Amino acid sequence: MNTQKSAEMVVHTLQVYNAIGNLTNHYSKAQSEEFRKDLIHNESSDEIFEAYKQEGKSILDSLKVLTQDNSVHAIRIKPLNTLLNSLYNQLTYLKDTSSLQGLDALNNDQEYRLKINKTLNDIKVIKERMLADEEHLMKERKVNYSFYKSLTPSMLLVLGFFALSVFLISFFRIYTNKLKVRKSEAFLKNVLATTDNIVNYYEPVFNNSKEIIDFKIVFANDCNRDYLGLEPEALVGETVLNAHPLHSSKIALEELITSYNENIKVVFDRQIDVEGKKMWFHSLVTPLAEGVLLTSRNSTAEEEAKEKELNFIKQLENQNLKLLDNRALLTNIFKSISHIVMSFKSIRTKEGKIIDFEVLFVNDKISPLTGDLPDNLKNKKMSEVFPTTFKSGVFENLVEAVETDKPVNYETPFTKDGTLRWFRATAIKLGDGVTVTTRDVTEDKEKANQLINLNEELIIQNSILTGAERIAKIGNFIWHMESGESEISDNFYEMLGCRPKEFDSNFETYRSFVHPEDLEEYDRIGAETISERKITEHTYRIITKQGVVKYFKTNGQFITKNGKEIMIGVVQDVTETIVAEEKLLESNLELKNKNAELESFNRVASHDLQEPLRKIQLFALRIQDNEAENFSDRSKDYFSKVIKAVNRMQSLIENLLAYSKINITKDEFETIDLNQLLDKVQEDITTSIQSSNATITADRLPEIKGVTFQIEQLFTNLLTNAIKYRKEDESPILQIKYSKILATDLSNLNAKDYKYYHKIAFKDNGIGFKQQYADKIFEVFQRLHQKTEYSGTGIGLAICKKILENHNGYITAFGTEAVGSEFVIYFPVQ
């Protein structure tokens, strides 16, 4: 490389030489008489001169390029450029003045020739300097070239040996690496063959916009077959969207795309369905070469374990909650029971002998007995707080319970304020201590002394109980679960048509009385009762000894008696009740038919009954309009009564229809703002209010749940009644008051279904009524006045009462004749 570089530098010097030589030739041409004659006398002198200038420019540019790495030459070229420009100008002037004649022309020619010679001499001086520099450089570069040239053969030989050494070393390393690669490849194949993980390599598939739309499977190991049932050879070449269940959708490609685009590792968990089985895989995506490497581990067992762990944790939480509830329950039990409950911890010697007990717990029932507070007794020794227990034998009983691990029952006396009381206690071992439950049995002992005197009374009571069973048609039984034996009462035998103790009572014997059609259900319920230890009340048929079919209803419970489980229960003959229910069903069916007839009546009343009335009314009005002038005064009076009667009849039919529809409405209850409803009703009866000069004031009313049109009818009837039944000489005043009351305040109405009620009172200053008719006015067709006095059908208040009943409410009335009335309605607060 150094030889080549030194040779290039020699060539470069020669090139500079040539350029300087060209420069010499160029300015030497200006000294030539032949060239000057061409400039002066040749017809194409302009072209020759321009070519000459262009040649000088080209030579100068070449020198600039060749000497740009030589700062000294670069400095010298700058004045050289100026001198060449001066030479060109001088030649131009000489050419232009060539036409002059005489002595002046000769003097001018000599003057400019001298200037040109001076310029050429300056250029020559610069050229000589540059040439001298290049000769010096040439000598140095020739020396360098000769030196490197002499070293080249030796260096090439050295490099040859070096290259050979590098080749041998590289070959050895490549061979060694190849062996390692083969070993690694064998190891990798072994790993891929023995690994429990799915290992796949994918390369991306791009669309025209260079976006990844899928991945091509380049490699797949055998675990694809083991876990997914997919042959590795069949997967290779396929796209993951088409062939691999771990990436069955575009969304499932996000982890692969993210890993490839961002060149990062991505971890994800995914559940897939493999031949109907749910499997979990924990996957790692790693960017590798031109694609991504997917390693998926079957984490189904882990996920199932996590799920089991979560379920177990939930169970623990539930158990903790139950323990807390049980602890709270136990605390409440300790507070609520009358027993004294104490817990002690054994205090032992080094030899293990119990010499005392430490108080761990005592409930507050100890206070009335000893006057001690439970907290003051805790963590103290029994010998300190209950020293008498060491003299009364209680301590020995407690030690026995701990050492034998068996419950110990004992009784002990206790004297307080001169009164002897007896206590019965049970000591049960708990850890290395004992829990003692004590109760006052003084009264029990006193009662025990009285039991002997009560035998005759018990016999009488048993006789009374037997008589009561016969009257109530009830029998009782006791079934011993371990032995299968049972006991039934005398009346039970008689209910089966047998004499008392006529047969040995047991399950199989009694089963023979069960009706064949009810046996399967009876056996099923019996099996559930035995297996779940829970009795379900059920009814079945039996056939008595005389062949009479009866309905029996059985109920009972499991209890423990003398350490053994027994079932006690009662059997009731409900034949009469069943027959009554069947009759009730028949009555309900008949009532349903009556309701259908009532609906038919409604249709008839709404059309067939009103149609004749409408025609009578129509024809009567036409006759009145056309023939009224021909009527006598009596005829006019009769005709007016006919029209009034028709109007009353039509109003009566409409009210009857409204009354009958209240019970059969199918409208859903909705929230009703009674303030808005009252405004609407007042607007509907504006004419009546204005004509009577009525004044209506109302409190702020509540919202209720109800059927809107029925509540409107209720308010309309109450308001129109207050206006209708007014005094002749006084304008009606109606006050509407509201309050919220407790159901207990309605004891006279037996209101028990709701806790609170809305109370709305409508109070007027009308004609009033006698209080003795307060109930009668709510009956259908009941009127307190003649129809000639006040119009109406006697149904309006009955409709009000029906509406309130339909809304689980009540209505009452209070009146004073000639003073006014007050109607109070109650709606339940829901």
Side-chain angles (χ1 to χ4, degrees):
M1 289 174 63
N2 288 330
T3 302
Q4 182 181 356
K5 184 176 181 181
S6 61
E8 289 174 354
M9 295 304 294
V10 171
V11 172
H12 181 269
T13 303
L14 292 175
Q15 289 174 344
V16 175
Y17 269 156
N18 291 335
I20 294 173
N22 292 334
L23 177 63
T24 303
N25 293 333
H26 181 71
Y27 74 76
S28 296
K29 190 182 291 187
Q31 294 175 326
S32 170
E33 288 296 331
E34 184 179 357
F35 174 72
R36 292 181 182 180
K37 288 179 180 180
D38 287 338
L39 286 179
I40 297 171
H41 305 293
N42 198 321
E43 294 180 355
S44 57
S45 60
D46 292 339
E47 289 81 0
I48 294 172
F49 185 65
E50 190 63 34
Y52 179 73
K53 288 169 59 178
Q54 191 63 34
E55 180 186 37
K57 184 178 182 301
S58 177
I59 293 170
L60 194 61
D61 290 340
S62 177
L63 276 173
K64 287 180 180 179
V65 173
L66 292 172
T67 60
Q68 61 185 359
D69 59 342
N70 192 323
S71 59
V72 175
H73 284 345
I75 294 172
R76 289 171 179 163
I77 288 175
K78 289 182 180 180
L80 187 61
N81 186 36
T82 304
L83 290 171
L84 285 174
N85 288 331
S86 298
L87 177 63
Y88 299 148
N89 292 332
Q90 292 166 359
L91 291 173
T92 301
Y93 181 79
L94 183 62
K95 179 175 74 70
D96 293 339
T97 58
S98 61
S99 58
L100 296 177
Q101 299 293 328
L103 182 61
D104 292 334
L106 181 60
N107 291 334
N108 183 65
D109 181 62
Q110 290 178 351
E111 181 183 355
Y112 269 89
R113 284 178 185 274
L114 291 174
K115 288 182 179 181
I116 289 172
N117 288 335
K118 185 179 182 304
T119 300
L120 290 173
N121 187 54
D122 292 339
I123 292 174
K124 183 178 180 180
V125 171
I126 294 174
K127 183 262 301 185
E128 293 295 336
R129 291 175 181 174
M130 290 178 68
L131 198 57
D133 291 340
E134 287 302 318
E135 286 176 356
H136 177 72
L137 287 174
M138 176 60 79
K139 289 178 182 180
E140 290 180 356
R141 288 170 179 174
K142 280 183 178 182
V143 173
N144 289 335
Y145 175 72
S146 298
F147 173 74
Y148 289 125
K149 184 178 179 182
S150 64
L151 288 177
T152 297
S154 302
M155 185 58 66
L156 288 176
L157 183 60
V158 172
L159 289 177
F161 281 110
F162 179 74
L164 180 60
S165 300
V166 171
F167 171 76
L168 292 174
I169 294 171
S170 300
F171 177 80
F172 178 75
R173 294 189 64 181
I174 291 171
Y175 178 75
T176 304
N177 289 336
K178 187 174 183 180
L179 292 178
K180 291 181 179 179
V181 168
R182 287 180 179 176
K183 186 177 179 179
S184 299
E185 183 178 357
F187 174 74
L188 181 59
K189 288 182 178 179
N190 184 50
V191 170
L192 292 177
T194 59
T195 183
D196 291 333
N197 299 335
I198 294 174
V199 180
N200 294 345
Y201 180 69
Y202 306 141
E203 289 184 349
V205 177
F206 299 93
N207 60 10
N208 295 333
S209 301
K210 299 300 180 181
E211 296 176 344
I212 298 177
I213 59 174
D214 206 338
F215 282 84
K216 181 181 178 182
I217 302 175
V218 179
F219 171 81
N221 73 340
D222 293 340
C223 285
N224 288 275
R225 180 194 307 114
D226 299 336
Y227 293 132
L228 309 177
L230 302 174
E231 291 296 332
E233 294 80 5
L235 288 175
V236 174
E238 295 288 338
T239 60
V240 295
L241 283 178
N242 293 331
H244 211 282
L246 271 175
H247 316 285
S248 57
S249 66
K250 182 67 175 177
I251 296 176
L253 291 179
E254 290 297 328
E255 294 84 5
L256 303 181
I257 295 173
T258 300
S259 177
Y260 181 83
N261 287 338
E262 299 182 13
N263 196 30
I264 60 173
K265 294 181 180 181
V266 177
V267 179
F268 66 94
D269 293 282
R270 183 161 294 148
Q271 186 185 47
I272 63 174
D273 185 84
V274 180
E275 297 180 353
K277 181 182 177 181
K278 301 293 185 182
M279 297 184 70
W280 279 92
F281 286 90
H282 178 78
S283 301
L284 169 65
V285 185
T286 305
L288 181 64
E290 300 299 325
V292 292
L293 180 69
L294 172 75
T295 305
S296 297
R297 176 171 55 83
N298 185 355
S299 59
T300 305
E302 296 176 12
E303 294 297 333
E304 291 176 352
K306 287 180 182 178
E307 185 175 358
K308 290 180 181 178
E309 183 180 0
L310 289 175
N311 292 333
F312 181 69
I313 291 173
K314 289 181 180 179
Q315 291 177 0
L316 287 178
E317 291 175 351
N318 293 332
Q319 290 178 0
N320 287 335
L321 292 176
K322 288 181 180 179
L323 286 175
L324 292 175
D325 293 340
N326 292 338
R327 181 180 296 176
L329 176 63
L330 189 60
T331 302
N332 291 333
I333 290 174
F334 285 154
K335 290 182 179 180
S336 61
I337 62 175
S338 59
H339 295 52
I340 299 172
V341 181
M342 295 176 286
S343 181
F344 301 98
K345 179 183 177 182
S346 302
I347 299 177
R348 299 176 182 267
T349 63
K350 293 181 179 180
E351 292 76 18
K353 181 181 178 181
I354 299 177
I355 58 172
D356 207 338
F357 288 95
E358 178 186 351
V359 181
L360 299 180
F361 171 81
V362 59
N363 68 345
D364 55 6
K365 299 303 179 183
I366 194 70
S367 299
L369 185 64
T370 66
D372 297 314
L373 295 175
D375 290 339
N376 295 336
L377 298 176
K378 289 180 182 178
N379 302 322
K380 291 184 178 180
K381 293 182 179 180
M382 179 184 286
S383 57
E384 297 177 7
V385 294
F386 303 122
T388 57
T389 57
F390 289 83
K391 300 177 181 179
S392 61
V394 172
F395 175 76
E396 287 75 11
N397 289 323
L398 301 186
V399 172
E400 179 185 352
V402 175
E403 299 294 2
T404 63
D405 196 13
K406 293 181 180 179
V408 176
N409 298 310
Y410 62 89
E411 291 185 357
T412 182
F414 182 82
T415 302
K416 181 181 181 182
D417 299 332
T419 302
L420 176 65
R421 304 195 67 82
W422 282 90
F423 290 88
R424 183 175 298 151
T426 300
I428 301 175
K429 181 180 179 180
L430 181 63
D432 190 30
V434 63
T435 298
V436 182
T437 304
T438 306
R439 66 184 182 92
D440 190 339
V441 295
T442 305
E443 294 182 1
D444 293 344
K445 279 187 167 289
E446 293 175 352
K447 290 179 180 179
N449 295 329
Q450 299 174 1
L451 287 178
I452 298 174
N453 301 326
L454 293 177
N455 284 338
E456 292 182 359
E457 184 177 348
L458 288 175
I459 294 173
I460 296 172
Q461 289 179 352
N462 286 335
S463 176
I464 294 172
L465 179 61
T466 301
E469 283 188 344
R470 289 194 181 96
I471 294 172
K473 297 182 179 182
I474 292 176
N476 65 77
F477 64 89
I478 301 175
W479 183 11
H480 300 271
M481 303 303 295
E482 292 184 5
S483 63
E485 297 178 354
S486 62
E487 305 169 16
I488 64 175
S489 65
D490 292 346
N491 194 55
F492 201 158
Y493 281 104
E494 293 174 0
M495 290 165 58
L496 296 173
C498 302
R499 299 187 309 276
K501 309 296 186 293
E502 182 175 332
F503 57 86
D504 293 335
S505 61
N506 55 60
F507 180 79
E508 290 298 328
T509 305
Y510 180 69
R511 185 177 179 277
S512 64
F513 286 92
V514 178
H515 196 289
E517 294 179 1
D518 294 348
L519 264 178
E520 182 178 354
E521 181 68 10
Y522 180 82
D523 290 341
R524 184 187 66 78
I525 295 176
E528 290 181 358
T529 300
I530 295 173
S531 62
E532 299 179 7
R533 289 297 191 264
K534 182 179 179 181
I535 298 178
T536 303
E537 182 178 276
H538 64 288
T539 303
Y540 53 93
R541 291 173 293 176
I542 61 99
I543 302 176
T544 66
K545 181 180 178 181
Q546 293 77 22
V548 178
V549 177
K550 293 183 178 181
Y551 288 88
F552 278 11
K553 181 167 70 174
T554 300
N555 203 347
Q557 61 180 331
F558 288 93
I559 64 172
T560 301
K561 181 179 180 182
N562 298 328
K564 296 182 180 180
E565 188 177 32
I566 64 173
M567 183 174 73
I568 61 173
V570 295
V571 176
Q572 183 180 12
D573 183 353
V574 293
T575 306
E576 293 180 358
T577 302
I578 297 295
V579 173
E581 289 178 352
E582 291 176 351
K583 289 182 179 180
L584 180 61
L585 289 175
E586 293 176 359
S587 300
N588 288 339
L589 181 60
E590 183 179 356
L591 180 60
K592 186 176 181 181
N593 294 332
K594 294 294 185 183
N595 286 335
E597 292 176 2
L598 181 60
E599 290 182 6
S600 176
F601 163 74
N602 287 340
R603 290 192 294 271
V604 171
S606 63
H607 183 270
D608 297 349
L609 291 181
Q610 293 195 66
E611 182 62 21
L613 289 175
R614 284 194 290 268
K615 288 184 178 180
I616 293 173
Q617 188 180 38
L618 176 63
F619 290 127
L621 290 174
R622 286 184 178 179
I623 293 173
Q624 187 179 34
D625 292 340
N626 298 330
E627 304 295 336
E629 296 178 355
N630 300 326
F631 286 172
S632 63
D633 292 340
R634 179 175 293 181
S635 297
K636 290 180 180 179
D637 183 50
Y638 289 159
F639 212 80
S640 175
K641 290 180 179 181
V642 168
I643 292 175
K644 290 180 180 179
V646 169
N647 289 337
R648 280 198 306 275
M649 188 62 182
Q650 191 169 27
S651 177
L652 177 62
I653 292 173
E654 290 175 352
N655 287 334
L656 281 172
L657 284 174
Y659 183 79
S660 64
K661 288 180 179 179
I662 291 174
N663 279 341
I664 61 174
T665 179
K666 296 180 181 179
D667 293 276
E668 295 291 337
F669 276 31
E670 58 183 353
T671 302
I672 303 173
D673 187 338
L674 293 181
N675 300 285
Q676 297 178 1
L677 186 140
L678 177 62
D679 293 341
K680 183 178 182 303
V681 170
Q682 290 187 77
E683 184 178 349
D684 293 341
I685 62 172
T686 299
T687 302
S688 299
I689 295 173
Q690 293 177 349
S691 62
S692 63
N693 196 26
T695 301
I696 300 175
T697 59
D699 291 346
R700 182 69 183 176
L701 301 180
E703 290 183 348
I704 65 168
K705 295 285 187 179
V707 182
T708 302
F709 85 88
Q710 291 186 8
I711 305 302
E712 287 182 0
Q713 181 70 50
L714 170 68
F715 273 54
T716 300
N717 288 0
L718 292 176
L719 264 63
T720 52
N721 273 7
I723 295 174
K724 181 193 301 183
Y725 298 104
R726 64 182 183 273
K727 298 173 185 175
E728 293 183 358
D729 58 347
E730 191 175 343
S731 297
I733 298 174
L734 176 61
Q735 295 178 321
I736 304 175
K737 298 291 185 180
Y738 166 73
S739 61
K740 184 178 178 181
I741 63 173
L742 288 168
T744 52
D745 297 336
L746 301 177
S747 56
N748 59 320
L749 298 178
N750 197 26
K752 298 179 180 180
D753 295 334
Y754 298 89
K755 187 175 181 181
Y756 294 98
Y757 282 82
H758 298 297
K759 176 183 177 182
I760 305 174
F762 294 77
K763 187 175 183 180
D764 62 54
N765 62 339
I767 61 174
F769 60 87
K770 294 181 180 179
Q771 187 61 31
Q772 67 191 68
Y773 300 121
D775 295 328
K776 181 180 178 181
I777 59 177
F778 293 109
E779 298 175 4
V780 179
F781 302 127
Q782 294 299 321
R783 297 170 53 89
L784 300 183
H785 308 86
Q786 296 296 324
K787 61 185 179 182
T788 55
E789 297 180 75
Y790 295 95
S791 62
T793 60
I795 300 178
L797 290 177
I799 291 176
C800 293
K801 183 179 180 181
K802 207 68 175 177
I803 291 173
L804 265 301
E805 291 174 351
N806 198 35
H807 288 73
N808 298 318
Y810 306 93
I811 184 170
T812 58
F814 304 93
T816 302
E817 201 168 27
V819 175
S821 307
E822 182 178 17
F823 290 87
V824 184
I825 60 177
Y826 301 91
F827 288 105
V829 177
Q830 300 183 16

